[in-house]
Amino acid sequence: MKAVQIREPGGPDVLELVERPTPDAATGELLIGVKAAGVNRPDCLQRQGAYPPPPGASDIPGLEVAGEVLATGEGASAFAIGDKVCALVPGGGYATHCTVHESNALPMPAGLGFSEAAGVPETYFTVWHNVFQRGALRRGQCLLVHGGSSGIGTTAIQLAKAFGATVIATAGSEDKCNACRDLGADHVVNYRSDDFVAAVKEATQGKGADVILDMVGGDYISRNYDAAAVDGRIVQIAFLNGRVAQADFSKLMMKRLTHTGSTLRARSIDFKAGIARELKKLVWPLLEKRTIAPVMDTLFPIDRASAAHARMEEGHHIGKIVLDVQE
């Protein structure tokens, strides 16, 4: 098979397209003929040597794919050969062939093409777990999502609105702010020119946000405590501004805040299967009606994976960056 490997830790130019042995579907697994693969920031961290794959996972980057089932392993019965699927994988997505446990795959939503479907699993699994499971966002509550124009952000805005929440998003340019508004965000803050804490307080009549989805970290941590409502939940999923911060923890006590966080890649197959079941029941109908949809930024051919990573790291993208893997 063709696959993108990381020659050595470094910049985007260390990605190279090579020939690798095609994997076999083990017990309970599917072999997917990959048509498209999503590009995510953890892929860039892995390329830099900062986010190694979990034990047993492929060293090939790529956490989400869409394609057709080519073979099934012993005991795998959820899909038939030829079925179109999208899947959350612990690695190996940047390749023409990829294996995944059948419980971490989902039928490709009707009406979506392969490139759109490849942009679904990583962001939708992540947002569902962190905003709705860990963050316990409910109808009528307020979600503050930082990085609203990212793949995670555009997904969080749409899902929160679809389930009846008010959404405040932050973004770093007028184009990105407008994209958040177009997706349904009720209030949008350009963090380069405005204070998001003050904006959240004004938008909520002083109450604050019930749930905050943060991928920034650094000095945002203390400011999130200020922006959160009493009994608010802050969910940390990344640290683009740094993993170390100073914060006044008395606010955590006085407001009865919950500050939690998670990573998804290393979680068990069974854990991710549970998220997949909820998505299929509650979110897949919305995708098939196009009530919500992945926001697409750029589609790169697989032999230009380095350009896709450069696009990600420039920070100008709005929505998903995807590799076209079709031969």
Side-chain angles (χ1 to χ4, degrees):
M1 68 175 184
K2 292 181 181 178
V4 175
Q5 71 177 12
I6 301 168
R7 185 175 64 250
E8 60 188 6
D13 61 317
V14 304
L15 298 177
E16 55 187 12
L17 190 63
V18 298
E19 295 284 335
R20 286 277 195 101
T22 301
D24 294 319
T27 300
E29 288 187 342
L30 310 174
L31 175 63
I32 298 173
V34 178
K35 302 296 186 182
V39 175
N40 295 281
R41 197 164 291 276
D43 305 342
C44 298
L45 293 175
Q46 179 178 337
R47 190 204 73 231
Q48 295 164 5
Y51 191 43
S58 172
D59 66 319
I60 297 167
L63 302 176
E64 57 185 348
V65 299
E68 296 180 355
V69 177
L70 299 181
T72 58
E74 182 179 354
S77 59
F79 298 96
I81 293 173
D83 283 352
K84 295 179 179 179
V85 297
C86 57
L88 183 71
V89 299
Y94 292 11
T96 55
H97 299 74
C98 182
T99 57
V100 65
H101 194 275
E102 64 174 359
S103 65
N104 290 184
L106 286 158
M108 204 165 87
L112 267 63
F114 287 116
S115 59
E116 282 189 308
V120 168
E122 171 69 12
T123 51
Y124 279 75
F125 274 70
T126 297
V127 169
W128 189 258
H129 175 54
N130 289 288
V131 172
F132 293 92
Q133 293 182 338
R134 300 190 76 82
L137 182 68
R138 298 291 180 263
R139 180 176 296 277
Q141 294 188 334
C142 176
L143 170 69
L144 168 62
V145 54
H146 293 300
S149 63
S150 66
I152 292 289
T154 55
T155 301
I157 291 169
Q158 293 182 81
L159 281 175
K161 291 300 297 180
F163 287 93
T166 297
V167 177
I168 305 172
T170 67
S173 72
E174 282 309 303
D175 283 348
K176 290 183 176 183
C177 287
N178 288 334
C180 294
R181 293 186 187 96
D182 290 344
L183 290 171
D186 299 279
H187 308 276
V188 184
V189 184
N190 186 330
Y191 64 79
R192 298 189 189 278
S193 58
D194 298 304
D195 175 16
F196 75 78
V197 176
V200 168
K201 292 295 183 68
E202 181 179 358
T204 60
Q205 293 76 52
K207 177 178 180 289
D210 298 289
V211 179
I212 300 175
L213 183 65
D214 183 28
M215 60 196 81
V216 181
D219 64 348
Y220 271 41
I221 290 175
S222 179
R223 296 166 72 192
N224 285 336
Y225 290 177
D226 290 331
V230 172
D231 290 315
R233 289 85 68 196
I234 300 156
V235 190
Q236 203 75 44
I237 60 170
F239 299 98
L240 296 178
N241 275 8
R243 297 178 294 173
V244 179
Q246 288 187 324
D248 181 353
F249 288 103
S250 69
K251 298 170 186 175
L252 204 71
M253 298 166 60
M254 299 304 293
K255 286 186 170 184
R256 302 186 298 276
L257 302 178
T258 299
H259 190 171
T260 184
S262 74
T263 59
L264 189 58
R265 187 180 191 184
R267 298 300 294 267
S268 70
I269 288 170
D270 288 344
F271 177 82
K272 288 181 274 194
I275 300 175
R277 288 191 294 270
E278 291 192 17
L279 289 174
K280 185 177 181 181
K281 177 181 178 181
L282 299 172
V283 175
W284 250 231
L286 301 176
L287 284 166
E288 294 188 337
K289 294 174 185 174
R290 291 198 80 88
T291 303
I292 58 177
V295 175
M296 305 302 291
D297 180 80
T298 313
L299 183 65
F300 289 92
I302 189 172
D303 61 0
R304 296 192 65 218
S306 59
H309 276 222
R311 173 76 177 165
M312 172 71 71
E313 292 178 338
E314 287 165 359
H316 299 316
H317 62 288
I318 296 175
K320 293 294 297 188
I321 300 169
V322 173
L323 297 180
D324 183 356
V325 186
Q326 301 185 61
E327 293 188 281

